Amino acid sequence: MTHFISRIATIEIPVSNLETSIDFYTTVLGVFTDFKDQNTALLSFHQKGIPTIYLVKTEEFNPLSFINNQSKIEHSIIDFYTPLLKDFYKFLEKKNIEVGPLNINEEGIGGFGFKDPDGNLLSACNIEHLGQ
């Protein structure tokens, strides 16, 4: 069987204020602005195989997140990886960015949620999956 898809190319995120969002994502995530026009911006980690982030200005705004029917926990659709989970958490707190509880298990594996300026729920984890 032929597999046509080999990776995620781009993650598209709705935003209400493009400049504010570019500042947030470049400052918080350390991404670079590869392209920008009046309504969109393409951000990149400048690493091969890592998806780009495409910010799209919209007036029909619905923040990104969903509720798990079983646990009733609000989930993000994007988990960013960091081996320095506790340090990243403290960094966000110092920047007065809304963060959820820091959840770390006995093995030191965990994550937490945080919100961008539009209320899009994002999360960070220190879990590496096969192939990453």
Side-chain angles (χ1 to χ4, degrees), residues 4 17 24-25 53 73 79 81-82 100 106 127:
F4 294 100
N17 183 305
F24 174 85
Y25 284 91
I53 298 170
I73 294 173
D79 283 340
Y81 171 77
T82 177
E106 306 81 42
I127 302 165

Side-chain angles (χ1 to χ4, degrees), residues 12-129:
E12 298 188 24
I13 300 176
V15 300
S16 62
N17 183 305
L18 190 61
E19 293 301 327
T20 299
S21 294
I22 290 170
D23 182 58
F24 174 85
Y25 284 91
T26 56
T27 301
V28 171
L29 300 180
V31 293
F32 302 92
T33 305
D34 291 340
F35 168 82
K36 177 186 169 296
D37 63 19
Q38 291 180 345
N39 295 302
T40 64
L42 185 66
L43 311 177
S44 171
F45 287 96
H46 287 180
Q47 293 180 30
K48 185 176 179 171
I50 305 297
T52 56
I53 298 170
Y54 190 55
L55 303 178
V56 181
K57 185 177 178 182
T58 181
E59 293 177 11
E60 296 180 24
F61 188 77
N62 294 309
L64 302 176
S65 70
F66 64 94
I67 303 294
N68 180 317
N69 286 340
Q70 183 179 356
S71 68
K72 305 301 181 204
I73 294 173
E74 184 179 18
H75 286 261
S76 69
I77 63 162
I78 305 168
D79 283 340
F80 293 100
Y81 171 77
T82 177
L84 305 170
L85 192 63
K86 290 179 184 177
D87 293 336
F88 185 54
Y89 189 85
K90 290 175 189 173
F91 168 78
L92 295 177
E93 284 185 316
K94 286 181 184 176
K95 292 199 151 298
N96 294 317
I97 293 170
E98 184 179 344
V99 294
L102 177 58
N103 301 302
I104 300 177
N105 67 17
E106 306 81 42
E107 292 86 33
I109 303 297
F112 64 90
F114 62 101
K115 292 191 176 180
D116 78 358
D118 285 300
N120 289 310
L121 183 61
L122 309 169
S123 64
C125 69
N126 62 355
I127 302 165
E128 282 191 279
H129 299 284

